[in-house]
Structure formats: structure tokens, C-alpha cells
Amino acid sequence: MPESAVFVPHFHWDREWYEPFQVFRHRLVQALDTVLETAEADPDFRFTVDGQMAAVEDYLEMRPENRDRLAALVREGRLAVGPWLILLDEFLCSGETIVRNLQMGWAAAERLGGAMPIGYLPDMFGHIAQMPQILARAGIEHAALWRGVPGTVDGHAFRWRAPDGSEVRTEFLFDGYDNGLDVLLVPDRIGSALQEYAGMTAERWGGDPVLAMAGTDHHAPDPRLASWLRRAAEQGRAITVATLDEYIRKHVRDEVNAVVTGELRSHVRGNILPGVLSVRLGLKQRMALAERTVDHAERMNALYCAQDDSPFLTLAWRKIVESTAHDSVVGSGTDETCDQVAARLAEAAQTARAVRDAALAGSAALVPADGYLVANTLTSARTALVEVDVVAPAEGSVLIARSADGSVQPVQLVSEAPTVLSDERMDASQLERVLRRIHRRELFGRLIDHYELTPHSLVFHLAEVPTSGPFDLMVLRRDVAAAAAAHPGEWQVRTLTEARASALVPVHVPALGLTSFRVEAGEASAADTPAAPATATSRALSNGLVEVEVAADGTLDVTGPDGTVLCGVGRLVDGGDRGDSYNYAPPAQDMLISEPTQVAVDLLESGPLRARLRVTRVYAWPASLSSDRDVRSEQSVPTPVEMLVEVRTGEPFVRVCTSFLNRSADHRLRLHVPLPECADSSAAAGQFAVTERGLTAEGGWGEYPLPTFPASSFVSAGAATVLLDHSSEYELVEEGSALAITLLRAIGSISVNIHPLRDEPAASEIPAPGAQELGMRIEHRFAVIPTAAGWQDARAVALAEEFRNDVLVTRGTGPGGRQLPPAEAGIRVDGEGVHVSCVRRINDDILGAGTEIRLTRMRDTASTVRLTGAFTQATTVDLLGRALAPVPVRDGLELCLGPWEIRTLVVR
């Protein structure tokens, strides 16, 4: 039995959850006031502020006068702060966001006196495989956590190993982060209660002192805690009060035999609440959009903008990181809380978009107004299909796209806009009202090219780029007034625009580079049809790489380049869900619906650059669950589901977009990709890694171990690889014969008290009607690669980046008719299976101004990577930006990346 115990006073602070942020902050200020007063009154008191600086900064925003008091306690080692900005959900944001979280938290803690060098992760719903490497590459040697640890760990600590081999000693909070509270229930019995607890858990400690975490959610410890413990110590117990950092550094052995490699998603010692992966999917989509937009903005600002917009980018990242909190992006809060998270993510994306657009504005000014600028945010060259608005060709003529180097590409017209924007009749006395619509030269979003003024008729001719010379609004006003006076009575006023169309153009763009093009009339032979054009018939698509046929039930039979055939892709399976925001649960008498009542197929585009079909299936989904929540309602709601199916020339996958208006409650909808042979494992791309998983999950606690798992950019099983637009939930179902991706979980409560698949309530039973998503349009984008070769040979890492990251297109703003500027290349990274998560401008006190680049080897083998660009010096830095070693640069630089290695460079 352990001879001693260390009590760690702390609280766990959910920044927002069943109450919105400002309500919880009011409680936070009161709690930290108590902590501060207690610490200053009792020199034996220590406190650990939950590993997240957000709580400290939220407090100081309301109590700025207490900053020096807090800093003094931090410097004395009596108040442990950081290293995170916020305690995040690790699976529902990108790996880069996790790094920024750590960087922001560490910097904020250093400004206050120093960060706690412990990767404290007390309440996350499982942990990503690469977290040990993230911590180790920031110089952090220890972690402490609770959920997800497998049953093989029988002590209170283990070595947690990342796929690259990095390790951190990890304190296992096997009884949760509040295990000390039961000992403190009766202050006069602390000694005996501690002895009983130590006896019950003796096999866990192995001679180390008991760790008693003395705190819980949203409450400061009792100010009398230290005196209670002193009194218990006087009765013969060896009791110490410490921070978590002090316990790990001073009171336990560093040698630990147990080793766990990879992600922690076991249910054996605690609930991991996997249903949060799929509830309120709109938040997951907003997170992905915000992360993508700020990444693009950083890259464009670093390479193509003289102005350093880092303050705006920092603001955008801050709002993203704040939204990653494990009760925020997961969607397990009240409706008002989730609305605030959505608004915060939208604001992050808007801030980043402004920086991105400003960065491109300078280059767009060099492109004539009848041309377009295209920017590639990826570190490899690509040919992308862009859709732009152009002047429609005259009958019998064709359009071509011409680049700055004179090369010509074909153009595919996909729609034409109406040319008559208005046709009105009015009395001459009302003509002045029409003129007030004109703002200098703009009318109805276009520019006035010229006008025709004749008795009783005024006709405006609009254009994107006027060609008729100057326009004088004052002259128009004078002439119209004179004509109205001379010709009273009824007038006809028409507004006509030049014939416009939407056109698809294939554009080749250098790595992290810029190019431009213009669309003009040309000869049909000037731009050859692609060697393998996209084609379509009434029920089939093809591009020479993939073929798609629509079956009678509206599903897809997809054939890949190697002849692999996936039949029944896009089958929809809808079932009841009587669970909550944390866990899915089927009703006792579930009714699965997978067959549509109607199927219609429409041919939308027939190529040669893009071919599209729209498959519309109507389903009769039950309106809700019965009042006892055990049976699906007999009342059904007819729900049309549109599936846009698309192939593009040169792409080895088929794009699929599903869309429907949700009119049913209490249900789960999944899209199935049947496999030609049963698979016994899957591989999903996540945060700096691709994780392999089996058909089952480890159980043993009070939560049924459903084998539903997260995937960020793609998931692969058997002969199918599915590229994803945002973090999603998937499962191998029907004994491994199909891959199921969740499109919607519609539920109505944060938690339910009696849950069929979870013993312990996850929270109070608080209604969350917004989580039913009633009246919301649910849209998802996927791409399906049929291949027997697996995700590595399919180049899934690279293709996922191309699928998720469209090129940026903006209209030129320079004088019309000028030559197009030459293409411009940025930084290029050559190396298969390498993911680049960051390219940003930095201005370091030691390294000076430069560009930071973060790369990860996304395979289990080493690889040589080559970087080229306008730089002559390079330095390897750690994840906190501290210089490690110079890297030789000779006409670029070469790196050897180990398996799954994360490497960060600063080039100058």
C-alpha cells in the first residue's frame, strides 16, 4: 500500500457547455478570486489551472488589476498555468490547429511567468496518435490524461509512443481528474478515507505516492483544504499539497515499463463519448472551412503581400482554437452555446478571407480586367478546373482560354445568363427615379458601357468591362431631363447586359504560385479536346480513369483505373436515434430505411472538361420517435435527397455531393460504400498521421464500445478510399462488407439520463432542439477512389489535399487589353506522401524575418524531400519556433524525413 499521498488542488473549466461562455466566465472570475485569496493566505496551498491559459486570460480580462498577483504565484511555482491555450477535442480539428493551440498557450504562460511543462489532457474524448510527438517536439516530456487508455495499462503511468517513435511519460488519471474528492467528503475522516482508497488502488501505484486530484468542474477548492490536509497529516498520514507539475517531477519514478503506441480510444477505463463526432455536423464543416481559409491566407500573405497581416491571422487562429474546446466544436452544448461557436468560426473565416483577398489584390492589379488571376495554395504544381463568368460566344463561334505564355486551353460552357435585366414602362416624370439606381457607372452590379436615348425610350447596355470610353453621369442626367420634358407621357426603360456565360477552364498553376488567363473567341482547333475527356450519357459518366453508372435504385457502380468495381456506392441507410449529443443509441424497435420510393436521373453537363448527373431519390423517413422513444413513428415524411455526381478530366475519382432538407427528428443517416470483399481493417487520415483500426473497439467501462471512428481528410477500407471535406464519423459495417459514413445525427438532448449504450449520464438532461437540425439543408462533399492497391498507392494524401483545397480565382483589376503577367512560382515541395500543414510569415527575434514551413511524412517509411524556392538559408526549429540546427541550402534543400516525422523549418 502507498505510504504517502500528493493532493493536487485544481478545477476543470469547460469554457462553454450547458451554459454559454459569458455565464461560465462570471463563475470563473469568482472561482479564481477564491483561489488567489486562498493562495495568498496559505503558503502551503498550490493550484493547477486546468492546463489551459484561456481560463487565466478570461479572468484577467475582468480582473486586470490582479495580473501581478497571479504572476507572482506562477514564478513561485505555486500556481501552474498552461501549456495549452484551451483544452481541445483532438480529433475534430487539424493537427496544425493543435500546434497553434500549444504555441499560443505556451507564449501566454511564459508572459505570466512560465508554462507548466506537462501535456495535461484531462477530459478529452480520446487522444490522437501523434500527440506524443507534438509534445516531444515542443520540449515537453510528460503528459497526464484520463480517457481512452487501453486495458493493458495496469499502473498509474505508461510510456506513450507516437508512430514516429517519440515518447512521453504519461500519468494515467485512471479514476478521473476528480479522484481526490471522495477522500475529502468528510474533512474529519480524510486520513482513514485516504487509507481505504490507497488500499483499493494499491496495485496501481507501485510504490509511488497516491495522486489525489482535488477538484472538479467549475468549482474552486474549499479555502480550508490545506488546513484539512495538515490536520490529516498530523494524524500520521504523509500528505503533500502540490501542483501537477511538482507531483510528476518530484514524487514519482520516471522509469515506466508499460508502453502504448498510437491513438487512445479505448472505452475500458472511461467513456470516450464517440457520438460527438457526428452530432451538429455544421460545426465540423465550419471548423474545416475556417482552418482552410486561414491556412490559405497565411500562405498568400507570406509569399505575395508586402504588408504583414499577422495580427489579423492571429485573431483568426485564436477564434479557431477557442472553438476547438472539447465542449464547443463537439456540439455537446446548448443551442445558444453552439450558435456562439458557429459565429466564432464564421468570424475566423471572415477575418482570414479578408487577409487572403488583400494578399491577392496586388497581383490582381497586374492582370487586365478582362483576365483572371489564379493562385495555388498547395506546394506542388497542379492543373485545376476553374469556373468563371465570361462573355458568351456569338452563335457558331467557340471560346478558348489563353495563358500568359500563349498556351491555349479548351473552354466548356455550363450555363448562360439572361441578357434582359429589366424592362419597365413609366411616366416621363419618373425617369429621375431610374437614374438614382446608377452609382457613378455601376448599375445592377455591372458597368454601363453605353446607352441609347430616343423619344420615349431609354436603353442601358451593361458590360463587365466597358469598351466605349468614358461615361459621364451628369451628361446623362441633363440629356434625360431634356428628353423627358420634350416628350411627356409613357416611356420604356430597358436594361440589357452583354450575353454572359459560366465557363470551365483548365488552368496549370505552379507550386504555391500564381498564373493568369483570359477567355476569348478563337478557332475550334486552337484548343484541342482533352486526350481523355469527361463524357456523360443519361445514366453514366466517364473520364478515361473512372467510370460511373447509375443503378435502378439510384446508387452508383464505380469502376477505377485498375478495373476495381464498387457497386452500390451512395446507398443511404436511415435509422432511429434515441441517444444524445454524446452517444448514438438505436430505439428498441428500430426500423431501417434504405430503399427510395422514387428515383430520377438528370443529365446536367456532358463534358469535355466536367460531366455531371443529378440523382434524386425520395425516401419516406419517419417523422420522429414515439413518446417512449423506443419505436419510430408511423407518420413518414417524404424527403428528396439530391446526389450530384461528377467526373472531371484527369481526376482518378468521382465527386459526390449529397443534399437534402431535413424534416425528420431522432434519426441517423449514413451513406454506404459497399466493398467487393470484406475488409477487416480501415485506415483514416487525421492529425499528422494515418491510423489503422479494426472492426471492434475495446470496452469494459459503462459505455458500449461502438466501432465508430473519426477521419479528417480521407478514410480507406478494402478497395475503397473516400476523400472527405471535413472531419467525419465512419464505421465498417455488415461484418466489414461496407464502409458507412455518417451524414446526420438528429437528436434533441445534450444528455439523456437512461441511455441504452451508456451507464452514466454524460451531463444533465438538457433539451437541445437545435441538434435535431429540423428545417436545415444538410450537404456533404465526398470523392470516391476505387482501387485495390490501397490508400498509399492511390496517392490519397495528395489527392485529399487537391480535393479539399480549390485554387483561388479573382478577377483582374488592371487596365483592360494589357498583356497577361507571366506565371510566378512560390515554394515547392517534392516528395510523395508528405503533407505540408503550414507556410506562414514569421518575424523571430533570433532568426529574423522568414517563412515557416511544417512538413509531415505520412507513411511508415522514410523519404527524402526536396524544397525549392526563393530562399538561401534554412533552420530547423521545434514546434514552439525555437531554433535547433541550420540546414544547408544549395539550389534548394533536401531533408530526410523519418516515418511519420513532423519537421518544421524556417527559410529566409
Side-chain angles (χ1 to χ4, degrees):
M1 182 184 300
E3 298 295 326
S4 60
V6 176
F7 281 78
V8 175
H10 76 102
F11 56 43
H12 175 54
W13 206 272
D14 300 292
R15 198 165 185 256
E16 54 199 357
W17 182 18
Y18 57 84
E19 293 284 8
F21 162 59
Q22 296 296 356
V23 174
F24 271 147
R25 173 150 70 172
H26 190 270
R27 301 179 191 177
L28 170 69
V29 171
Q30 294 176 320
L32 278 178
D33 279 345
T34 299
V35 168
L36 190 57
E37 294 164 3
T38 302
E40 291 176 336
D42 190 336
D44 290 338
F45 185 76
R46 303 285 192 274
F47 192 77
T48 299
V49 192
D50 205 27
Q52 55 177 335
M53 279 300 297
V56 178
E57 294 190 338
D58 291 342
Y59 172 78
L60 289 176
E61 191 173 359
M62 296 295 105
R63 295 279 195 269
E65 68 276 11
N66 289 344
R67 184 176 186 86
D68 290 344
R69 296 169 66 192
L70 282 177
L73 293 171
V74 173
R75 289 193 300 270
E76 293 169 12
R78 298 173 57 207
L79 191 72
V81 297
W84 302 101
L85 178 64
I86 207 154
L87 293 182
L88 72 161
D89 185 284
E90 300 167 32
F91 292 97
L92 292 176
C93 63
S94 70
E96 187 60 34
T97 298
I98 296 173
V99 171
R100 302 305 178 92
N101 187 343
L102 186 56
Q103 291 174 343
M104 288 180 171
W106 190 274
E110 288 293 297
R111 291 192 293 269
L112 202 64
M116 176 176 71
I118 309 294
Y120 188 49
L121 306 162
D123 199 27
M124 286 71 167
F125 308 151
H127 304 278
I128 62 169
Q130 286 280 39
M131 183 58 76
Q133 185 179 181
I134 292 172
L135 296 175
R137 288 185 180 266
I140 297 174
E141 300 176 349
H142 299 272
L145 50 83
W146 168 29
R147 304 182 194 266
V149 178
T152 55
V153 175
D154 55 10
H156 73 99
F158 60 95
R159 305 294 304 179
W160 187 13
R161 182 177 296 161
D164 77 312
S166 301
E167 290 185 355
V168 290
R169 182 199 177 278
T170 303
E171 188 67 27
F172 177 26
L173 309 176
F174 58 90
D175 275 342
Y177 54 79
D178 59 356
N179 69 316
L181 293 187
D182 289 348
V183 174
L184 299 172
L185 280 176
V186 182
D188 291 338
R189 293 193 66 251
I190 289 176
S192 58
L194 180 59
Q195 184 173 5
E196 292 171 9
Y197 179 74
M200 292 166 49
T201 59
E203 74 283 357
R204 289 265 176 192
W205 302 108
D208 287 335
V210 169
L211 170 61
M213 298 293 290
T216 189
D217 298 357
H218 308 125
H219 287 87
D222 193 296
R224 297 166 293 176
L225 174 62
S227 63
W228 292 345
L229 296 175
R230 278 194 294 269
R231 188 161 65 246
E234 291 169 357
Q235 298 171 0
R237 299 297 303 177
I239 292 175
T240 304
V241 177
T243 64
L244 182 63
D245 181 28
E246 289 174 322
Y247 172 78
I248 290 174
R249 286 190 297 107
K250 297 180 180 180
H251 296 279
V252 297
R253 296 168 294 115
D254 191 52
E255 299 81 15
V256 178
N257 293 325
V259 176
V260 178
T261 299
E263 71 175 0
L264 306 179
R265 288 194 64 82
S266 170
H267 307 252
V268 72
R269 292 293 302 183
N271 298 336
I272 64 168
L273 310 170
V276 299
L277 298 171
S278 52
V279 72
R280 297 190 194 259
L281 278 165
L283 291 180
K284 284 66 171 176
Q285 292 171 324
R286 286 181 180 272
M287 173 63 70
L289 175 62
E291 290 175 325
R292 198 155 48 228
T293 308
V294 73
D295 179 36
H296 294 173
E298 281 191 333
R299 297 180 185 214
M300 294 298 102
N301 183 260
L303 296 178
Y304 298 108
C305 189
Q307 177 175 307
D308 183 358
D309 273 335
S310 295
F312 290 95
L313 295 167
T314 298
L315 174 63
W317 273 116
R318 171 89 188 204
K319 291 185 177 297
I320 289 171
V321 170
E322 288 176 345
S323 302
T324 65
H326 67 283
D327 285 306
S328 297
V329 69
V330 298
S332 61
T334 60
D335 289 350
E336 62 179 340
T337 295
C338 292
D339 288 345
Q340 289 177 346
V341 177
R344 189 184 303 132
L345 288 169
E347 192 174 351
Q350 293 155 7
T351 304
R353 188 179 73 206
V355 173
R356 179 200 68 193
D357 293 349
L360 293 176
S363 298
L366 304 177
V367 177
D370 59 345
Y372 290 89
L373 175 73
V374 182
N376 177 17
T377 61
L378 302 184
T379 54
S380 57
R382 64 189 298 195
T383 297
L385 201 60
V386 301
E387 186 169 345
V388 294
D389 178 65
V390 298
V391 177
E395 187 175 351
S397 64
V398 297
L399 295 180
I400 59 171
R402 192 178 300 276
S403 300
D405 62 2
S407 62
V408 174
Q409 298 294 335
V411 170
Q412 176 184 332
L413 295 181
V414 293
S415 66
E416 293 196 27
T419 57
V420 179
L421 301 185
S422 72
D423 189 346
E424 304 167 277
R425 294 185 181 273
M426 63 188 65
D427 188 79
S429 63
Q430 301 299 309
L431 290 177
E432 176 61 26
R433 291 174 48 223
V434 173
L435 301 185
R436 287 199 293 268
R437 299 171 181 168
I438 302 170
H439 302 92
R440 289 165 292 281
R441 193 168 189 166
E442 179 270 329
L443 176 61
F444 296 161
R446 299 192 183 277
L447 299 178
I448 297 174
D449 183 78
H450 64 282
Y451 60 89
E452 301 172 35
L453 180 61
T454 58
H456 299 284
S457 175
L458 174 59
V459 182
F460 293 105
H461 294 270
L462 311 184
E464 282 284 310
V465 181
T467 60
S468 62
F471 168 78
D472 193 326
L473 180 58
M474 299 307 295
V475 170
L476 172 64
R477 289 182 181 278
R478 182 196 65 198
D479 291 349
V480 168
H487 304 283
E490 185 180 75
W491 277 63
Q492 182 182 28
V493 179
R494 304 179 74 211
T495 305
L496 310 179
T497 186
E498 59 189 348
R500 308 292 300 183
S502 292
L504 296 174
V505 180
V507 181
H508 183 76
V509 202
L512 271 178
L514 306 175
T515 193
S516 59
F517 70 93
R518 58 161 54 96
V519 176
E520 58 191 39
E523 298 294 331
S525 59
D528 293 332
T529 300
T535 61
T537 64
S538 60
R539 299 183 75 91
L541 303 172
S542 177
N543 66 358
L545 295 174
V546 289
E547 296 180 357
V548 183
E549 291 189 9
V550 181
D553 63 355
T555 62
L556 311 176
D557 295 341
V558 185
T559 304
D562 62 357
T564 298
V565 180
L566 302 176
C567 296
V569 172
R571 178 173 177 251
L572 298 180
V573 180
D574 185 76
D577 191 343
R578 61 151 300 169
D580 51 31
S581 65
Y582 292 101
N583 295 80
Y584 158 79
Q589 300 178 48
D590 200 3
M591 177 173 55
L592 299 181
I593 297 172
S594 60
E595 297 303 320
T597 59
Q598 301 175 41
V599 178
V601 183
D602 297 303
L603 173 60
L604 302 181
E605 298 172 16
S606 55
L609 302 176
R610 184 175 74 187
R612 282 178 162 181
L613 296 173
R614 180 177 59 226
V615 181
T616 304
R617 292 171 287 178
V618 180
Y619 294 87
W621 292 338
S624 62
L625 291 179
S626 61
S627 58
D628 64 4
R629 303 187 60 75
D630 279 330
V631 181
R632 299 194 77 179
S633 168
E634 293 183 1
Q635 177 189 355
S636 64
V637 179
T639 305
V641 180
E642 291 186 355
M643 184 166 65
L644 185 65
V645 188
E646 173 184 321
V647 298
R648 300 181 180 184
T649 179
E651 288 187 343
F653 49 77
V654 55
R655 294 171 180 256
V656 177
C657 178
T658 61
S659 174
F660 65 94
L661 185 70
N662 182 47
R663 300 171 60 202
S664 299
D666 310 316
H667 69 126
R668 180 180 70 173
L669 177 66
R670 302 207 282 189
L671 179 142
H672 283 214
V673 180
L675 306 176
E677 296 182 2
C678 290
D680 58 8
S681 65
S682 62
Q687 295 69 21
F688 301 128
V690 179
T691 301
E692 292 194 8
R693 305 179 177 111
L695 297 179
T696 60
E698 183 182 34
W701 190 248
E703 179 180 58
Y704 185 83
L706 279 176
T708 53
F709 299 112
S712 292
S713 60
F714 70 82
V715 56
S716 183
T721 297
V722 181
L723 310 182
L724 303 169
D725 179 65
H726 57 85
S727 295
S728 300
E729 171 192 271
Y730 78 91
E731 182 181 357
L732 276 175
V733 297
E734 299 168 4
E735 299 181 339
S737 65
L739 177 64
I741 299 171
T742 304
L743 302 185
L744 173 68
R745 278 191 64 232
I747 52 88
S749 181
I750 290 180
S751 177
V752 293
N753 292 335
I754 304 300
H755 193 292
L757 303 184
R758 187 189 67 231
D759 290 345
E760 181 185 3
S764 299
E765 195 168 86
I766 299 173
Q772 295 283 16
E773 308 283 9
L774 290 170
M776 301 297 293
R777 180 153 293 278
I778 309 299
E779 296 186 357
H780 290 268
R781 292 196 314 133
F782 309 98
V784 180
I785 308 174
T787 175
W791 65 269
Q792 295 193 36
D793 289 344
R795 299 181 55 250
V797 171
L799 292 179
E801 286 300 287
E802 291 186 14
F803 174 69
R804 289 163 67 95
N805 295 275
D806 292 330
V807 293
L808 309 176
V809 184
T810 186
R811 190 69 178 262
T813 58
R818 290 174 49 178
Q819 287 189 342
L820 296 169
E824 187 173 353
I827 295 171
R828 175 171 173 166
V829 178
D830 291 308
E832 183 59 38
V834 174
H835 172 58
V836 179
S837 64
C838 166
V839 179
R840 65 163 173 165
R841 181 199 305 259
I842 66 159
N843 201 339
D844 184 76
D845 291 341
I846 297 175
L847 297 173
T851 302
E852 182 180 79
I853 306 169
R854 192 156 14 260
L855 312 97
T856 304
R857 173 63 173 164
M858 296 288 281
R859 292 193 180 182
D860 58 4
T861 57
S863 175
T864 298
V865 181
R866 180 170 174 78
L867 282 75
T868 52
F871 56 87
T872 58
Q873 302 177 61
T875 304
T876 301
V877 300
D878 71 5
L879 282 186
L880 296 179
R882 299 173 295 204
L884 297 176
V887 181
V889 177
R890 300 182 186 89
D891 190 26
L893 64 88
E894 288 191 353
L895 300 171
C896 181
L897 290 183
W900 308 110
E901 179 186 355
I902 304 168
R903 184 85 66 90
T904 308
L905 301 167
V906 172
V907 299
R908 305 178 296 286

